[in-house]
Amino acid sequence: MSPSQATTATVFDVAQIRADFPLLARTVHGKPLVYFDNANTSQKPESVIEAVNAHYRERNANVARAVHQLGEEATTAYEGARDKLAHFIHAPSRNEVILTSGTTQSINLVAYSYALPRLKPGDSILTTVMEHHANIVPWQLVAARSGATVKAAPINERGELILEKFFEMLTPDVKLACVTHVSNVLGTVNPIREIARECRKRGIPLLVDGSQALPHRPVDVQVLGCDFYALTGHKMLAPTGTGALWARRELLDDMPPFFGGGEMIREVRFDGTTFAGIPHKFEAGTPNIAGFVGLGAAIDYYDSVGFEAIHAWEQNLLAYATERLREIPGLRIFGEAKDKEPVISFLIDGAQATDMATLLDLQGIAVRSGHHCAHPLMQFYNVPATLRASLAFYNTREEIDAFVVALLKVRKLLM
Ligand code: PMP
């Protein structure tokens, strides 16, 4: 069955899903909004917005510092989000889930607390050409301080990691491998289980950037077999400024704190401060409490819809959008991996990405243009920028149709 023949109406009721996302009902420049910038940040369901709202209306207090009722309720709600997250990624223990402001902070935590103390001249960190800057620059910073180097494994024209090359590059000087689960530009899904198996054989820990995976597929860190998994909340229906790092307990126990301050200590003395155990050792200061309450509600929302239905719907949308985009003369898609999430980067001959995004916006269509924080990937394809349409389970075929009509119009204007 071709994607255009497939009937998706049986999978789930997208109209009902859309009704849960208030922002999707708005117009932009007088046109119905078509939000195709989900890889940048997702929209939020009413239940998440309401959870944050209710927190501030009914329970606002600081966590872990008060014995009063509000403080206890706030702490329970905040720690409840950790439980939900641990369950969501199937972490062996809730204490292995460090709550952070997002993937960027999670990766920096590993860079400064795990990698920096271990790296010495001659060592290296292996990453890939398809990484977001958040999974490149922190490694460059700690490499510069320690005399280590950062190596990048190549990809092929379809935007897939060349696995044999990656494995060949896992030489004894490599002290950490860092790979994205799903590319934010290409949608490529990397075979993390296989990569983790090869890393483990060589005794090299593996960090996975899960930012773009969790919005689309169930993740089980134990099945994946990685050592660190970084994630960000705002791409998965939760408020901005929420995220986490999961890591194996042995690694976390061995890592010194990254930020110092309140709540991460056991006892502070001028002759020697001792630290709390995990996870609190890594959570200095007042966290984004309401944000994490929202993250808990986001996970509940995913649970209520189910990833089986989400995946089926999104894969159908991806196939349909790809087929429709290929109808446009001069359109080139970047990223044609066999295993792909619904992210489509493309260019149209003779048109600048930013001009197109600006004109699409005037028609109510939100896509991203630019380098997508992936300069090395742009260098690989030898383009300064691409347009990126990134879909979510609340998008529809009708929106894709509207997008194609708008693209044809814009193309004409720019030719
Ligand atoms: N990695 C990937 C693959 C991403 O797409 C992003 C966000 N664009 C990040 C890391 C950084 O996430 P955050 O800004 O939420 O820390």
Side-chain angles (χ1 to χ4, degrees):
M1 189 163 49
S2 86
S4 47
Q5 290 167 323
T7 89
T8 49
T10 49
V11 179
F12 68 5
D13 185 348
V14 75
Q16 200 183 331
I17 299 266
R18 289 177 69 80
D20 292 335
F21 290 78
L23 192 140
L24 296 179
R26 70 163 280 181
T27 55
V28 169
H29 302 303
K31 305 272 170 39
L33 168 69
V34 172
Y35 188 75
F36 282 177
D37 197 17
N38 295 288
N40 207 355
T41 196
S42 74
Q43 296 305 339
K44 320 302 175 200
E46 186 74 53
S47 58
V48 168
I49 299 166
E50 194 38 49
V52 174
N53 191 327
H55 174 80
Y56 283 122
R57 283 181 184 280
E58 297 161 20
R59 273 190 299 280
N60 180 48
N62 212 331
V63 291
R65 290 173 201 202
V67 291
H68 56 68
Q69 181 66 23
L70 287 185
E72 269 180 34
E73 287 181 18
T75 304
T76 302
Y78 174 73
E79 291 296 335
R82 192 190 314 276
D83 290 324
K84 286 179 186 177
L85 206 40
H87 178 71
F88 195 57
I89 59 170
H90 200 217
S93 160
R94 71 185 304 281
N95 292 335
E96 294 176 351
V97 178
I98 314 300
L99 301 180
T100 67
S101 64
T103 297
T104 302
Q105 191 190 332
S106 299
I107 294 179
N108 276 277
L109 169 58
V110 179
Y112 285 93
S113 177
Y114 176 81
L116 186 59
R118 286 170 175 77
L119 290 173
K120 47 184 195 330
D123 287 345
S124 56
I125 293 167
L126 179 62
T127 185
T128 84
V129 166
M130 72 169 85
E131 302 304 316
H132 186 279
H133 295 161
N135 204 18
I136 299 175
V137 182
W139 309 123
Q140 291 178 325
L141 291 173
V142 293
R145 287 205 195 181
S146 59
T149 51
V150 178
K151 307 195 282 195
I155 60 171
N156 62 27
E157 274 294 318
R158 289 191 304 278
E160 296 162 323
L161 187 59
I162 305 173
L163 280 181
E164 318 81 74
K165 274 273 169 214
F166 184 88
F167 298 150
E168 250 173 52
M169 291 174 82
L170 284 173
T171 43
D173 53 301
V174 176
K175 297 296 178 280
L176 184 68
C178 310
V179 179
T180 195
H181 197 165
V182 173
S183 159
N184 64 313
V185 183
L186 308 168
T188 307
V189 181
N190 283 316
I192 297 300
R193 282 178 76 172
E194 203 180 334
I195 291 171
R197 210 178 308 124
E198 293 300 317
C199 287
R200 205 168 330 115
K201 271 191 211 162
R202 295 162 176 82
I204 299 169
L206 173 68
L207 175 139
V208 177
D209 174 351
S211 312
Q212 298 289 349
L214 280 163
H216 304 294
R217 48 175 54 214
V219 166
D220 182 325
V221 291
Q222 298 183 60
V223 169
L224 289 178
C226 58
D227 300 282
F228 299 98
Y229 198 90
L231 64 100
T232 208
H234 68 95
K235 296 179 199 288
M236 46 174 278
L237 314 181
T240 51
T242 61
L245 172 74
W246 169 80
R248 294 184 191 282
R249 174 186 288 273
E250 323 75 271
L251 295 169
L252 290 172
D253 280 341
D254 232 24
M255 286 161 54
F258 177 34
F259 291 116
E263 293 311 321
M264 47 75 73
I265 49 84
R266 189 157 285 139
E267 190 187 8
V268 176
R269 300 175 61 92
F270 283 109
D271 59 359
T273 289
T274 52
F275 303 112
I278 60 168
H280 301 292
K281 171 169 91 167
F282 297 109
E283 295 181 5
T286 300
N288 181 1
I289 303 163
F292 282 104
V293 170
L295 180 67
I299 291 172
D300 290 343
Y301 191 85
Y302 277 114
D303 284 346
S304 73
V305 181
F307 272 111
E308 213 177 306
I310 288 174
H311 193 67
W313 182 264
E314 288 185 345
Q315 286 297 311
N316 199 283
L317 285 183
L318 172 64
Y320 182 65
T322 306
E323 181 184 288
R324 294 290 332 264
L325 286 176
R326 285 199 205 287
E327 291 167 13
I328 297 174
L331 187 141
R332 174 184 176 197
I333 291 178
F334 298 84
E336 296 178 290
K338 276 187 216 92
D339 195 2
K340 188 175 162 169
E341 291 299 355
V343 177
I344 309 176
S345 275
F346 64 96
L347 281 175
I348 296 182
D349 281 346
Q352 294 266 344
T354 310
D355 295 345
M356 293 193 65
T358 307
L359 292 171
L360 287 167
D361 176 57
L362 293 176
Q363 303 191 53
I365 294 171
V367 291
R368 184 162 171 197
S369 66
H371 54 67
H372 315 292
C373 300
H375 279 161
L377 195 52
M378 298 296 116
Q379 288 149 16
F380 172 78
Y381 283 113
N382 199 21
V383 293
T386 69
L387 271 166
R388 180 185 70 185
S390 51
L391 312 181
F393 61 94
Y394 44 67
N395 289 129
T396 66
R397 285 176 167 231
E398 291 70 27
E399 289 181 305
I400 292 167
D401 292 337
F403 178 47
V404 171
V405 169
L407 268 176
L408 286 166
K409 223 193 255 178
V410 163
R411 179 178 173 274
K412 228 184 212 167
L413 280 172
L414 292 172
M415 288 291 149

